[in-house]
Amino acid sequence: MMKVLNFGSINIDKTYLVDHFVQPGEAKTSLKLQTFSGGKGLNQSIALALGGAEVHHLGCVGADGDFLIEMLEEKGVNTDYITKLSEIPTGHAIIQVDGAGQNCILLFAGANRAFETDMIDKVMENFSAGDWILLQNETNELAYAMNCAKSKKMKIAFNPSPADEKINDLPLNLVDLFFINETEGAALTGKSSAEDILDSMLGKFPNASVVLTLGKRGSIFRNANNNIAQPIFVTEVKDTTGAGDTYTGFFLANYINGVALRDCMQLATMASTIQVTREGAATAIPTLDEVKKSLMAIPIISEKY
């Protein structure tokens, strides 16, 4: 069985329920505060594990991060490569969630940007050709990790979130599978429509595959040989935090395990659909059995894009 090394962020999420997002100059009282495990890396590792992958997490936390490591272990993630730092706090996120379940997020990187190249070298010794590495844009030393992985003939999956001006400085030609939304697609290509983003991505990276998530308009998988669209499953939304991470983890877990593309998209879509009906990010991710049972209960629609 192929292994996945997730080189990713680990955060403490402070989630505030509000009737509307705070505006410039405004002070307001939140309706509720909850503390969750979070970070795109942690969320995606848990989704990978629950989706059926063997996943190892490469990350850093501060002295306040023990409960995050424990949660990863409880969900089936190997945590041997998580470093606990004494002088740098765990990364955290301040998340506002409004009555419609939409969110806005302020990040503090903390230990997530304390990686050194020798830490990556030591971990990479345990992986080989055919294994996968998954990266997001919430850690440092991404270019180094990508080059190390490719030198070992590992496959590279990249979710360039949060999108910033430095993304295009990375060796993106090494990436085998991109997970992007429209905002990230625009940052990578300068295009705005889904069709233009996909055309531009495949023009720039012809050997890669791209998963483009489109919110209420579903998702599209495209590479040189496939164009597949997957609509959403309609549900009542409670909190969208972590929905994209859930999709990414479930898709990748099944993709590397040889599941058909259409089925990967359906599983990932249903996993994120279930996830948004619950509060929190990582704590809301369903199991693979839950997802399969939910899919069996509804008619499935999937079509070529």
Side-chain angles (χ1 to χ4, degrees):
M1 184 176 183
M2 288 180 289
K3 298 183 289 186
V4 181
L5 175 64
N6 186 4
F7 176 29
S9 57
I10 303 175
N11 283 343
I12 300 172
D13 285 354
K14 296 284 188 179
T15 301
Y16 299 83
L17 180 62
V18 295
D19 53 19
H20 65 269
F21 297 147
V22 177
Q23 302 299 306
E26 178 185 16
K28 69 183 282 88
T29 300
S30 67
L31 304 174
K32 187 177 184 180
L33 167 63
Q34 291 178 287
T35 300
F36 296 106
S37 305
K40 296 194 72 66
L42 179 143
N43 295 340
Q44 292 178 14
S45 277
I46 289 175
L48 278 161
L50 293 178
E54 179 185 337
V55 56
H56 302 251
H57 195 101
L58 170 56
C60 290
V61 298
D64 53 348
D66 286 343
F67 80 99
L68 300 169
I69 297 174
E70 292 170 2
M71 181 179 187
L72 284 164
E73 291 172 347
E74 289 170 2
K75 298 295 185 179
V77 178
N78 182 298
T79 62
D80 291 347
Y81 309 130
I82 295 179
T83 301
K84 190 174 176 180
L85 305 173
S86 59
E87 297 181 356
I88 303 176
T90 301
H92 69 255
I94 297 172
I95 304 170
Q96 296 179 63
V97 178
D98 68 13
Q102 299 301 307
N103 65 60
C104 63
I105 302 173
L106 177 66
L107 293 170
F108 169 71
N112 292 318
R113 292 195 179 272
F115 287 95
E116 298 180 359
T117 56
D118 64 333
M119 297 165 63
I120 297 170
D121 290 335
K122 290 177 183 177
V123 172
M124 287 291 189
E125 293 174 359
N126 301 289
F127 295 84
S128 57
D131 289 333
W132 281 78
I133 185 170
L134 171 64
L135 311 99
Q136 312 82 30
N137 198 32
E138 291 184 343
T139 57
N140 65 319
E141 298 295 353
L142 291 177
Y144 187 84
M146 287 179 175
N147 282 302
C148 283
K150 192 55 67 171
S151 71
K152 298 181 72 67
K153 298 183 178 179
M154 295 174 69
K155 297 287 189 179
I156 299 174
F158 182 43
N159 172 213
S161 178
D164 61 27
E165 68 282 355
K166 297 179 181 179
I167 288 174
N168 286 297
D169 294 333
L170 295 171
L172 299 179
N173 59 301
L174 303 181
V175 175
D176 297 281
L177 177 59
F178 289 92
F179 290 94
I180 58 175
N181 61 22
E182 289 173 285
T183 299
E184 294 142 14
L188 287 169
T189 67
K191 308 297 183 180
S192 56
S193 73
E195 186 65 25
D196 288 345
I197 288 170
L198 288 165
D199 284 347
S200 181
M201 287 293 294
L202 268 296
K204 293 172 70 174
F205 312 110
N207 297 318
S209 297
V210 180
V211 177
L212 175 63
T213 55
L214 301 166
K216 293 180 179 180
R217 291 178 287 131
S219 57
I220 302 168
F221 176 94
R222 180 173 291 184
N223 61 18
N225 301 309
N226 298 277
N227 295 291
I228 303 173
Q230 173 64 43
I232 65 166
F233 302 118
V234 178
T235 190
E236 183 177 341
V237 176
K238 185 172 288 185
D239 184 356
T240 58
T241 308
D245 299 331
T246 301
Y247 186 108
T248 295
F250 265 76
F251 183 98
L252 184 58
N254 287 278
Y255 183 74
I256 67 175
N257 285 334
V259 175
L261 283 171
R262 293 179 183 275
D263 293 334
C264 289
M265 297 184 77
Q266 290 166 4
L267 289 163
T269 301
M270 180 56 76
S272 59
T273 299
I274 296 170
Q275 195 267 351
V276 300
T277 67
R278 304 168 176 175
E279 292 182 332
T283 55
I285 299 172
T287 65
L288 184 58
D289 283 344
E290 286 181 276
V291 172
K292 288 181 175 179
K293 287 177 181 177
S294 294
L295 282 172
M296 290 174 63
I298 63 172
I300 301 301
I301 302 171
S302 187
E303 58 193 48
K304 285 200 172 184
Y305 181 73

